[in-house]
Amino acid sequence: MTASENDLPVVAFHPFRWGDPAHATHLPTAAKETLAAFGVKQPAPALEPGAVTLPDVALDAATLAEFAAVVGEEHVSSAHEARLAHTRGWSTPDLLKLRSGDASDAPDAVLYPASHDEVVTLLQLCGRLGVAVVPYSGGTSVVGGLAPAREGFAGVVALDLKRLDAVVSVDAVSRTATLQAGMRGPAVEAALGAEGFTLGHFPQSYEGASIGGYAAARSAGQSSAGYGRFDEMVVGLTLATPRGTVVLGTAPKSAAGPDLRQLVLGSEGTLGVITSVTVRVRPRPEVRIFESWRFPDFETGAAALRRLVQDGPEPTVLRLSDEAETGINLADPSAMFGGGPGGCLAVTGYEGSAADVEARRADATAVLREAGGELLGPEGGEAWRQGRYRAPYLRDPLLDEGVLIETLETVTFWSNLHALRAAVTTALTDALTAQGTPPLVLCHISHLYETGASLYFTVACAQTDDPVAQWHLAKSAANAAIRASGAAISHHHGVGTDHAATYADEIGPLAVDALRAVKRALDPAGVLNPGVLIENLPLRADAAVTE
């Protein structure tokens, strides 16, 4: 049984594998027996971290000494372990490259500032020296957000915010908390829990993701139906840039011009480094009840969930697996490939006071039954709740066995939902089948709004001799299908480098120019996460700014 959110420790992570090494898992027997149906022929073991060769450090001793003068010599590292641990993120292509020994994106050094002022000073220094900066808090990007362009720069440093890991303040009257960017999810919940509050933000990367990453990528947790997305929780933030400090959020809402908080949220480290945020918090729930439902098909289930989010009452957690995902039984990773309940599985979760949970649950139950749902009881819902952070741990043993497995997500309006699901499924199936590896494509709805919902796809097939290129072709086809369908390229994973071209097409050239203008104003030398989100700016010889 998985520990509660408040009990999960903050740990060090393996550079090649998902999450906490102590939670590594093995494939269920049923899963291994099924692999032959995917055409999996041979294992694909990973190199050991120590066997991976890193590129030579591009930064000279004088530059490293300037960094050390800011943060202390012990907080600047070009050691093999530190550089490898900060190479790329947690996507399957990121891991496949490392597993094969490709660490070409390794930073030249890792810097560990301890304060906002140190971050500002380091960014000014990097701007003057022409050193690219990768802001790093949790390191859980799955869209290439930690693999910047290197051309034109003297080197690359990872700016690790793990020393900025404190609760600055809690305002119990306003129900807000100011949190430093390096705090990871479990530490946040433990600290707020001691004050009687919860943030209520539980993405699947919860064990490793951090406050800064939540803000920079517009994260959406699995309880978004009840608590909202992370960008909806943020009421204030502090941004460090090469030109100084930006502080935003003097009140919950304002009519004083555009809301610049929303410009920074989702900027993925390209405009500055978010060093702290002020967020809305909620009282810790007295009661948690999770249940599972069965619907005869995906369309019926989606219509039922739409009724809840449009007309109420809305549960805290609300999600629906399609027929294929239900059959694999991802609601309970320990029983993967063991067979689900048939039809389409939905999970509902209710958190809050006892009276509130009882009322919302009773009313939602009536709506779901009227809409064609069959209540299966608490077992499936609790299995999902207890296993919600375990499913990604299955990726590593699947990769070891020679399976290519990856996820992607998108979001659209309700009227376009089923056409989008069909288009993406077809694109992935066709692209991988053409390479001789017909896939299994699974889908679920996990974030819902009055006007639309997200679709989250899991794709599995046999690896080819070049699985990175294999997935690139499939992902490109999916991106094209999403664009052709008029949907957004990402709901919560972000843009990174994987989606940059599609994002530019989505927002259009004038909006891209506007973003580039903001970046020039805040980061004149273009050193912040170059190539991520928007194409890199040319390095300007006159761009050093020291005020």
Side-chain angles (χ1 to χ4, degrees):
M1 181 174 291
T2 302
S4 71
E5 281 78 11
N6 294 70
D7 298 329
L8 289 173
V10 176
V11 298
F13 298 99
H14 190 291
F16 293 8
R17 295 185 176 271
W18 178 277
D20 181 354
H23 296 164
T25 188
H26 301 284
L27 288 181
T29 301
K32 288 188 175 183
E33 293 173 350
T34 307
L35 294 183
F38 287 100
V40 177
K41 298 177 180 178
Q42 58 186 10
L47 291 177
E48 290 299 319
V52 176
T53 301
L54 301 184
D56 293 338
V57 174
L59 300 176
D60 58 28
T63 298
L64 296 176
E66 289 202 58
F67 293 142
V70 179
V71 298
E73 187 175 350
E74 68 275 24
H75 300 304
V76 176
S77 179
S78 289
H80 183 280
E81 182 179 1
R83 294 177 66 203
L84 187 64
H86 291 79
T87 300
R88 308 189 189 98
W90 283 8
S91 73
T92 292
D94 287 345
L95 300 186
L96 286 170
K97 290 175 184 177
L98 285 174
R99 288 165 62 93
S100 68
D102 176 3
S104 56
D105 292 315
D108 297 295
V110 183
L111 314 180
Y112 302 93
S115 70
H116 171 84
D117 289 344
E118 287 186 359
V119 174
V120 172
T121 301
L122 288 172
L123 294 183
Q124 292 173 339
L125 183 57
C126 287
R128 175 169 63 82
L129 298 173
V131 176
V133 182
V134 182
Y136 188 104
S137 54
T140 59
S141 170
V142 292
V143 290
L146 302 175
R150 307 174 75 94
E151 185 177 356
F153 296 96
V156 176
V157 296
L159 192 70
D160 192 322
L161 302 180
K162 72 176 185 178
R163 296 175 68 203
L164 279 72
D165 64 348
V167 175
V168 178
S169 63
V170 175
D171 180 346
V173 175
S174 303
R175 290 187 178 176
T176 64
T178 300
L179 312 171
Q180 289 187 316
M183 291 191 76
R184 285 187 173 147
V188 170
E189 283 301 316
L192 293 180
E195 301 286 337
F197 293 106
T198 181
L199 181 60
H201 191 70
F202 306 115
Q204 198 161 56
S205 58
Y206 170 73
E207 295 165 301
S210 297
I211 288 295
Y214 291 164
R218 290 190 185 273
S219 175
Q222 294 170 334
S223 300
S224 63
Y227 292 102
R229 293 162 51 101
F230 192 75
D231 50 355
E232 297 170 330
M233 301 176 183
V234 175
V235 295
L237 59 86
T238 301
L239 183 74
T241 82
R243 295 193 61 192
T245 298
V246 177
V247 179
L248 300 170
T250 56
K253 298 291 182 181
S254 169
D259 189 345
L260 295 180
R261 291 172 294 194
Q262 295 302 319
L263 178 64
V264 175
L265 296 170
S267 60
E268 301 188 25
T270 61
L271 304 181
V273 177
I274 299 167
T275 57
S276 67
V277 298
T278 300
V279 291
R280 175 204 73 209
V281 296
R282 299 270 176 82
R284 286 189 65 185
E286 299 173 6
V287 177
R288 288 188 177 98
I289 297 177
F290 285 73
E291 297 176 317
S292 61
W293 290 77
R294 176 168 50 207
F295 289 90
D297 53 62
F298 189 74
E299 289 74 13
T300 302
L305 269 59
R306 178 168 60 86
R307 283 183 57 181
L308 284 183
V309 297
Q310 289 183 335
D311 302 322
E314 195 163 1
T316 308
V317 172
L318 191 57
R319 54 195 294 122
L320 173 73
S321 294
D322 70 1
E323 292 87 348
E325 187 171 282
T326 297
I328 294 297
N329 207 13
L330 285 185
D332 184 2
S334 65
M336 184 180 178
F337 291 98
C344 289
L345 182 73
V347 173
T348 56
Y350 308 89
E351 297 184 2
S353 67
D356 171 64
V357 166
E358 181 180 1
R360 281 191 294 138
R361 182 185 175 204
D363 290 345
T365 296
V367 170
L368 293 175
R369 279 186 171 143
E370 183 182 334
E374 175 191 355
L375 179 61
L376 301 179
E379 293 81 8
E382 275 299 305
W384 176 83
R385 187 181 76 85
Q386 295 290 345
R388 65 163 116 179
Y389 307 122
R390 293 206 312 266
Y393 286 93
L394 290 167
R395 177 173 63 174
D396 296 312
L398 284 167
L399 292 175
D400 291 340
E401 292 292 333
V403 176
L404 175 68
I405 183 164
E406 182 57 307
T407 63
L408 61 93
E409 44 76 37
T410 180
V411 59
T412 192
F413 295 104
W414 283 112
S415 57
N416 190 43
L417 190 78
H418 299 301
L420 174 64
R421 173 173 167 251
V424 174
T425 300
T426 298
L428 290 166
T429 301
D430 290 350
L432 289 165
T433 301
Q435 299 178 70
T437 54
L440 176 67
V441 181
L442 319 176
C443 183
H444 68 251
I445 296 172
S446 54
H447 305 280
L448 304 94
Y449 310 95
E450 288 185 60
T451 54
S454 70
L455 292 175
Y456 190 100
F457 295 87
T458 301
V459 189
C461 64
Q463 293 182 26
T464 64
D465 292 338
D466 188 349
V468 174
Q470 176 190 16
W471 177 248
H472 176 74
L473 289 173
K475 185 65 162 60
S476 296
N479 287 356
I482 289 169
R483 241 352 262 131
S485 299
I489 192 58
S490 176
H491 173 264
H492 58 273
H493 283 170
V495 175
T497 56
D498 292 0
H499 297 152
T502 310
Y503 174 61
D505 183 56
E506 181 179 319
I507 65 175
L510 185 57
V512 170
D513 284 348
L515 282 177
R516 295 186 72 192
V518 174
K519 183 170 175 64
R520 282 195 188 94
L522 297 175
D523 177 24
V527 296
L528 282 163
N529 234 6
V532 172
L533 189 68
I534 52 178
E535 68 269 30
N536 189 34
L537 300 175
L539 185 65
R540 283 173 39 189
D542 63 342
V545 178
T546 58
E547 70 266 27

